[in-house]
Amino acid sequence: MKVMVVGGGGREHAIIKGLKKSPKVEEIYALPGNGGIAKDATCVNIGAKDIDGICKFAKDNKIDYAVVAPDDPLVLGCVDALESIGVSCFGPNKAAAIIEGSKVFSKNLMKKYNIPTADYNVFSNAEDALEFVKTAPVPVVVKADGLALGKGVIIATTTEEAVAAVKDIMEDKVFGDSGNNIVIEEFLTGPEVSVLAFTDGKTIVPMVSSMDHKRAHDNDTGLNTGGMGTVAPNPYYTDDIASVCMDTIFIPTMNAMNSEGRTFKGCLYFGLMLTVKGPKVIEYNCRFGDPETQVVLPLLESDLLTVMQATTNGTLAETEVKFSSKSACCVIMASKGYPVSYENGFPIVFGEAEENISYFVAGATLEDGKLLSKGGRVLGVTAVNDCLKCAVEDAYKAVKQVDFSNGFYRNDIGAKALKAL
Ligand code: AMP
Ligand code: GLY
C-alpha cells in the first residue's frame, strides 16, 4: 500500500517508523516531513495546512491510506477533503475535531454529559470576563477558545495576572481569533496523565498511559513548551484509576460525540488530572500527542496500519491492539532559547545507537547529506527497556552521544515517575 502521513515533527516520525514495520506498507510519503524523516519516508514539500495541495498529491499519486496527524489540518477539515476524493484516512473529520478546536465546545460537552472536569465559565466579551476574574479565587486558569500552538492556557496566580491574561487574549488578541471567546476555570491539582486512545466511534481502546514534561527546564521550571520529554507507562495511572477513567470519561466521551452527531474516529487524546475527587479531564486533543507518541508507539506490538485502518472501517472491536509490558523514556533535545527564540542551522550527528534506541527527528533539514537543526524541538531520543529506570538511563546515555552544539535538554525526564514507583 501507498501511505501518506501529513505533518513533519517527532510525532510524525514515530508514526512513520511504526508504519514501516507493517508488511502491508510499500511506500510512505511525508507531507512535508523533515530532513530526518527523509531517511524513512519520501518527503514532499507540501505544508500540513495546504489542504488543496495534499488532496492533489493524494490523487496524483494514488495514495491508498492517509494519516492526518497535526491539529491544524484536522480542525480545517483535511480528512473530509481527502474522503471526498475517495482517500481513506486515519483521523477525525472536521465536525469531530472541534473537540480540540474549541475549548468552549469541549467544556460544554463535558458539562452536558456529566464528564468530570474543572468548573468553568465561558465569556464572549472582555468586560464580563474582567468583572468575573476580579472576584474569582486564585490561582485561576484562563484559556483561549481556539488553537494557539499550545500556548493558549494561562495559569494566573494573582488577580492582576488573571486580568492581564484576559486583556491579552480578548483585547490585544495575542492568539488572534482563537481568543474571541475564553474559558475561565477552576485550578485543579494532582498528577497529570496523558492517555491516547484508538476509537472507531463504537469501541474505544486506550493505549499505554504516559507522562509529559511541559516546562522547559528541570524541576518543572521555565516556560510551558510543546513537551520536553515523556515516559510510559505513567506510574500514577493504576489499573483501578484506568477502570474509573474508562467508565466515567472515555466511553462517555465517545458516546457524547455520537449523540452530538460528531462521531470521532482516530486517536482521541485525554489530558487528565488525578485529583483527590477522582480523575478529571484537563483537555482533549483530536490527535496523537507529541512527545507522548514517541514513547507510546515504540511500545505497540500490534501492526499500526491494521489498527489505524480498523478505526476507519469500524472494526476496532475485532482488531488486536497489544502493547509491550516494557517501559519507554523520550528526552527531547531542543534549540537553546526554545520556546522563546532560537537559531537554526546547527549540525546534528547521532551516536552509535543500540537496538533499543530510536531517534525521532522533529525539526531539521538535510543539506549536502548533513542534518541541520530547524525549529524549537529538534530531536526526540527514545529508549525502551524492561523497567522505567533502565529506559531513563538508556535514553540519557543515548542523548549524551548526540552531537548537537546548540541543543539543550531537561535532565530530569522520568524523575517524578521513578519517585512515584
Ligand atoms: P492545555 O494546553 O489545556 O494542556 O494546558 C496546559 C497545561 O496547563 C496542562 O497540562 C496543565 O498542566 C495546566 N492546566 C490546564 N488546565 C488546568 C486546570 N484547570 N488546573 C490546573 N492546571 C491546568
Ligand atoms: N504533549 C501535549 C500535546 O501533544 O498536546
Side-chain angles (χ1 to χ4, degrees):
M1 284 175 67
K2 277 183 163 183
V3 180
M4 162 178 114
V5 175
V6 174
R11 164 185 53 209
E12 287 75 13
H13 201 179
I15 291 171
I16 286 166
K17 283 200 193 225
L19 289 170
K20 262 184 92 171
K21 291 188 215 157
S22 173
K24 292 193 275 189
V25 173
E26 287 159 338
E27 234 170 319
I28 308 183
Y29 297 93
L31 281 62
N34 67 45
I37 290 177
K39 227 178 129 188
D40 294 296
T42 305
C43 294
V44 182
N45 193 17
I46 294 173
K49 288 199 268 185
D50 178 2
I51 311 275
D52 290 343
I54 292 166
C55 287
K56 185 174 183 314
F57 178 85
K59 206 172 168 187
D60 290 349
N61 292 278
K62 301 194 170 58
I63 295 296
D64 299 301
Y65 194 68
V67 177
V68 182
D71 47 3
D72 281 316
L74 289 166
V75 170
L76 288 170
C78 189
V79 166
D80 310 60
L82 284 165
E83 284 180 347
S84 76
I85 56 163
V87 180
S88 181
C89 289
F90 178 82
N93 62 15
K94 186 174 180 177
I98 193 175
I99 199 165
E100 176 169 2
S102 167
K103 291 202 195 292
V104 173
F105 171 86
S106 66
K107 293 298 289 189
N108 289 343
L109 184 86
M110 289 186 267
K111 189 185 220 170
K112 184 171 171 187
Y113 294 93
N114 275 318
I115 297 165
T117 189
D119 285 341
Y120 70 103
N121 289 279
V122 172
F123 297 93
S124 54
N125 76 72
E127 230 168 74
D128 293 347
L130 289 169
E131 193 63 36
F132 178 83
V133 289
K134 278 177 190 156
T135 56
V138 287
V140 67
V141 185
V142 181
K143 300 184 170 185
D145 176 39
L147 296 181
L149 298 168
K151 294 178 188 159
V153 173
I154 292 152
I155 299 181
T157 49
T158 63
T159 300
E160 291 69 36
E161 278 174 31
V163 165
V166 171
K167 286 185 175 166
D168 284 350
I169 297 175
M170 298 199 91
E171 290 177 353
D172 300 340
K173 299 271 181 204
V174 292
F175 305 120
D177 285 346
S178 287
N180 289 350
N181 295 297
I182 59 169
V183 171
I184 299 183
E185 70 178 33
E186 169 201 17
F187 176 76
L188 300 176
T189 53
E192 284 188 60
V193 182
S194 304
V195 179
L196 319 180
F198 290 110
T199 176
D200 60 3
K202 296 180 287 185
T203 301
I204 185 157
V205 182
M207 302 178 218
V208 60
S209 63
S210 55
M211 183 193 284
D212 194 3
H213 298 68
K214 285 210 162 92
R215 299 297 197 97
H217 301 294
D218 288 3
N219 303 314
D220 292 330
T221 57
L223 293 172
N224 257 322
T225 69
M228 291 299 292
T230 36
V231 293
N234 184 323
Y236 289 103
Y237 192 71
T238 60
D239 289 348
D240 284 349
I241 292 174
S243 150
V244 170
C245 290
M246 194 67 183
D247 294 342
T248 64
I249 296 174
F250 304 158
I251 293 173
T253 300
M254 177 182 73
N255 291 341
M257 290 299 276
N258 287 334
S259 301
E260 295 294 308
R262 296 175 182 273
T263 294
F264 190 102
K265 295 179 174 195
C267 174
L268 186 50
Y269 170 123
F270 298 88
L272 306 172
M273 195 170 269
L274 309 180
T275 75
V276 287
K277 290 187 187 156
K280 296 192 182 192
V281 178
I282 288 285
E283 64 162 344
Y284 291 118
N285 290 327
C286 65
R287 52 170 173 88
F288 280 104
D290 196 1
E292 284 89 341
T293 305
Q294 300 184 47
V295 283
V296 170
L297 288 188
L299 295 173
L300 179 68
E301 290 181 339
S302 307
D303 184 85
L304 177 60
L305 180 65
T306 304
V307 176
M308 285 180 154
Q309 285 178 303
T311 69
T312 313
N313 303 334
T315 52
L316 195 56
E318 302 95 76
T319 303
E320 183 199 63
V321 186
K322 193 166 171 267
F323 283 87
S324 150
S325 56
K326 292 186 176 185
S327 296
C329 172
C330 170
V331 178
I332 297 293
M333 300 186 80
S335 298
K336 281 177 191 159
Y338 172 75
V340 182
S341 64
Y342 47 82
E343 288 177 62
N344 293 321
F346 292 84
I348 305 151
V349 181
F350 302 135
E352 283 289 313
E354 304 281 333
E355 212 195 314
N356 67 330
I357 305 292
S358 303
Y359 296 116
F360 299 122
V361 179
T365 53
L366 196 59
E367 283 170 39
D368 299 329
K370 276 193 195 149
L371 200 59
L372 302 178
S373 63
K374 188 178 181 212
R377 290 190 292 179
V378 170
L379 186 67
V381 180
T382 295
V384 173
N385 208 328
D386 292 337
C387 72
L388 183 60
K389 187 164 176 281
C390 314
V392 171
E393 282 169 7
D394 287 356
Y396 276 106
K397 228 186 274 166
V399 162
K400 289 186 177 111
Q401 284 167 7
V402 175
D403 187 0
F404 172 31
S405 64
N406 193 45
F408 82 97
Y409 53 89
R410 274 181 63 160
N411 296 286
D412 63 344
I413 303 301
K416 208 193 269 176
L418 287 171
K419 228 185 220 172
L421 275 174

